[in-house]
Amino acid sequence: MFALLKSRNIPSLFGISLFVGMMAAGYYYNLTFVQLGLEDLGTRLLRLSATAVARDMALLALLTCVIALAFGRWMTRQGWGRRFRRKMQLSFGVIVLQSALTFMSAWLNSETAFLLWLAGVSFALGVGVPVMFSLTTDLVPVRWRGWAATLVTALAYFAAAAFSGEWRFETFRQISLLLLLAGLPAIGLLAFLRHPWLDALAAQHLRPEFAIGRFTRGGVARKQFFGFIIAMFGIYFVDSLGFLRLLKTPLYMQSAWQSPDFDIRLFIAATHVVGAMAAGALYTSLRLRPLFLWVVGIFALTHLQYSFHIRVEAESGVLSMPMLYALAVSLYTVLNFAIWADLSTPDTIPFNAALGVALSGWMATFLSTGLAIAWSGHLSLERHIQVVDSLAMLFFLALLVFAFLPSRKTEAA
Amino acid sequence: MKTARLLLILASLSLLLTACGANGLYQVTLITDGEHQLTGAYPGDLLMLGGKATLLPDFTLQGSLHLVSGQLDLHGQVFGDVTLLGGKLTLGPSACLGGNLNLGGGTFHPSPGSVIEGHTHTGSGIPLPDLPEQNATPPGGTLLNALLFGLAAAFLTRYFPRSIARVGEAASRHALVSGSVGLLVAVVGISLLVTMAYTILLIPISLLGLFALGLAAVFGWIGLGATAGNLIGRVLNRPLSPAKSAFIGTLAFVLVLELITSLPLVGDLLGIIVAAIGLGAVSLTRFGFQTFIPATE
């Protein structure tokens, strides 16, 4: 980053800042309003049963996944991966739709209206995934993708963890609306105005330092690409399945993410930042296999600690567990923001990003939510966490086996 | 011959770890599960993490009592503080607390006749339990530590010059990556070892792991010291033999580190960062057995 500052390449620096700002705001919206706020809206304000809300959220995940794949495919066919202005205009459209939906959410009063509204949210998210992720090849040079992902993760998680003590729909709606309305005119100007800086950004994807992803140098084998999707899917699945149950356990929420004590929330937020910084440094210097092993290994250890904690029937939470959780989450989020662009070229990024994010993130959320609904009636907290831990351990051992298998000599291995 | 030399080096390095130990002696009785009846005099503290315990009237505890979880009926005497963070604490009519009573959580049932000689603190403002303070380093102790580290560095550089050089190079040329890996190894490693210790059965492995972590940190510092020695040689423009250079560099490094960590506010943080860089460099180079080359180079 210092090299860029020294070079005084202001349009490039502006491009990186634009990407970080858009992605951090988008991810914050997803983390707070979508993942936490909608559940509160369904259960508390619309008085739907927990199972009905979980089912509706699973549908949202599935629909988002389908729309992202379809739109990513369509973008690739149209060659929009190379059209910076079109992507900015689409981003503006997504933000307009999200602002309108967020504004309208206060008037929802039935499950039918909620479902229709969720379909709209799915559409905005599904279009947003390939559009925003494909901006990476226009705005962030390959060398800085790990650090840009670090900034996105650190900003989004710090804000979400430190300043969201009260997980209420009304609070999330207010903050999200403020964020969307602040970004709307800025993105609108950038999408429709002409300026030499924007022209420079629109041509950046032609330069090899933007166009040739870190892992595409030796050519990306389809097998290898899907291997990463499976690895990311496993990570999302373990995280989501475990956290969905912890979310319903007041002991673990009140002593960590929802603690009334600001210092505890600040500690978790700082852990996210440190984790993201470590991930940024490691992403640029290590191969991907050790990084995946770290993430899955930490998840396995975290769930093992929760499992022990549940077994001794302790009456107060221990901060080391959410600390490890935050560390693992930051590590894999950085990976998620950098890896799909580094496995792509400007021509392939819309569909690759959609495949990566939709098949790993949204599909894992859909399946884990469905499983959590099925288990909620008859599986105890201890058993649930034990199963998640076993899955994490199994996944860790599988990755370990793969780590010792001979691989193609590419940077990704 | 090679194995004997390796064992000798490991034994010599492990001696350095004695410099890291607390000088005071700390004793604690730990209750994690089951039902217990305690009687007689107990030295040190008592920590209860689960189960059920009854401390009979002739029970005396020299230190403090911490109840995190479980059920405790106290009928005897505790000379130190009693801290209740969770679980259920009942004071019998013959119970006597010599220190303060800190109520941070859980349920508390005092009986008429029970005596609390100190103050009662409630809520989140309870004072932290007093841990035995490490005695101040005796005069010349820092210099002795630095000398020991310097000698170890000279010794290792004599027999494993390439390993030390690899660790030093990883720590100095890739400080950010080394620091990140070191931080992960330390945080995850300590968490893993503590979790293993909870199983009781794995305590020996946990102790071995802790020993390996300490050894890695020492090795990392020596690598950094050897690099500092090279730098000193270049600045002074005096070519030194590798062993001499490592000795001088490590001696200077440990003394400077001691000075840095004594700085108010930032001292501890800087110490942690330097330790993480050393530990990370050792992890990245597998104790100096391979050169660390970043994936992008």
Side-chain angles (χ1 to χ4, degrees), chain B residues 84-283:
Chain B
L84 175 64
L85 296 172
K88 187 179 168 190
L89 173 66
T90 307
L91 293 189
S94 57
C96 178
L97 311 189
N100 297 325
L101 174 66
N102 305 313
L103 300 172
T107 48
F108 174 59
H109 299 287
S111 298
S114 57
V115 179
I116 302 165
E117 290 177 359
H119 300 287
T120 301
H121 304 285
T122 53
S124 57
I126 59 165
L128 289 168
D130 290 330
L131 289 172
E133 280 188 22
Q134 197 175 330
N135 295 336
T137 313
T142 305
L143 194 63
L144 191 68
N145 276 352
L147 273 170
L148 270 172
F149 270 98
L151 284 172
F155 181 73
L156 284 172
T157 310
R158 172 90 172 77
Y159 292 103
F160 293 97
R162 287 174 68 184
S163 297
I164 294 291
R166 283 182 192 127
V167 172
E169 192 191 322
S172 55
R173 283 191 59 197
H174 309 287
L176 201 57
V177 187
S178 296
S180 301
V181 170
L183 199 71
L184 282 181
V185 169
V187 170
V188 178
I190 291 169
S191 295
L192 178 67
L193 296 173
V194 169
T195 309
M196 283 162 88
Y198 261 98
T199 63
I200 310 289
L201 195 71
L202 294 175
I203 285 177
I205 297 176
S206 176
L207 289 173
L208 268 175
L210 209 59
F211 176 77
L213 263 183
L215 212 63
V218 168
F219 202 72
W221 282 10
I222 287 175
L224 279 165
T227 310
N230 291 337
L231 199 72
I232 290 169
R234 274 208 296 270
V235 170
L236 296 177
N237 206 14
R238 282 189 63 176
L240 297 166
S241 72
K244 266 188 198 168
S245 163
F247 174 78
I248 294 169
T250 308
L251 186 83
F253 172 77
V254 173
L255 288 174
V256 170
L257 190 66
E258 191 76 29
L259 194 74
I260 287 173
T261 49
S262 64
L263 288 174
L265 295 173
V266 292
D268 287 339
L269 184 67
L270 289 172
I272 290 170
I273 290 171
V274 173
I277 290 172
L279 188 60
V282 173
S283 309

Side-chain angles (χ1 to χ4, degrees), chain A residues 107-356:
Chain A
W107 286 275
L108 294 173
N109 55 11
S110 67
E111 191 176 7
T112 316
F114 182 56
L115 277 170
L116 284 172
W117 182 82
L118 278 182
V121 173
S122 288
F123 183 78
L125 287 170
V127 172
V129 165
V131 169
M132 295 224 186
F133 271 81
S134 62
L135 282 170
T136 320
T137 48
D138 298 287
L139 301 177
V140 190
V142 174
R143 231 179 125 194
W144 303 112
R145 279 181 193 162
W147 291 112
T150 292
L151 283 173
V152 172
T153 307
L155 284 171
Y157 274 117
F158 187 85
F163 306 117
S164 308
E166 199 187 17
W167 287 1
R168 285 170 68 86
F169 174 73
E170 293 89 336
T171 317
F172 291 138
R173 181 176 170 270
Q174 253 181 359
I175 299 172
S176 298
L177 259 181
L178 208 71
L179 208 66
L180 286 164
L181 293 177
L184 200 63
I187 301 297
L189 281 176
L190 293 171
F192 295 103
L193 275 187
R194 290 206 79 94
H195 188 276
W197 283 13
L198 294 171
D199 293 337
L201 293 182
Q204 282 192 145
H205 70 272
L206 299 169
R207 287 157 56 187
E209 63 264 38
F210 286 83
I212 303 167
R214 181 179 153 194
F215 307 124
T216 59
R217 281 166 210 166
V220 184
R222 217 59 193 155
K223 214 162 64 177
Q224 200 178 23
F225 182 76
F226 280 100
F228 288 128
I229 290 182
I230 291 167
M232 284 303 281
F233 171 84
I235 292 168
Y236 269 111
F237 186 72
V238 165
D239 173 24
S240 178
L241 192 60
F243 198 72
L244 275 170
R245 193 61 189 256
L246 295 176
L247 201 67
K248 305 269 182 240
T249 315
L251 170 67
Y252 295 125
M253 286 296 119
Q254 292 296 324
S255 61
W257 292 275
Q258 281 183 286
S259 168
D261 189 347
F262 178 68
D263 287 349
I264 289 180
R265 298 205 312 272
L266 190 65
F267 175 77
I268 294 173
T271 307
H272 274 297
V273 174
V274 172
M277 284 171 69
L282 299 182
Y283 180 80
T284 48
S285 302
L286 295 190
R287 293 181 193 284
L288 285 180
R289 278 182 186 176
L291 270 176
F292 278 117
L293 277 172
W294 269 111
V295 176
V296 183
I298 297 175
F299 268 128
L301 176 61
T302 314
H303 285 101
L304 186 69
Q305 287 194 348
Y306 273 111
S307 175
F308 277 15
H309 196 260
I310 296 163
R311 205 174 292 176
V312 298
E313 293 175 5
E315 288 166 17
S316 53
V318 180
L319 210 48
S320 78
M321 298 183 302
M323 179 191 76
L324 284 176
Y325 216 115
L327 202 62
V329 165
S330 280
L331 286 176
Y332 88 74
T333 308
V334 168
L335 271 177
N336 186 52
F337 277 117
I339 188 176
W340 309 118
D342 273 346
L343 285 161
S344 311
T345 62
D347 293 317
T348 58
I349 189 165
F351 191 49
N352 278 359
L355 273 174

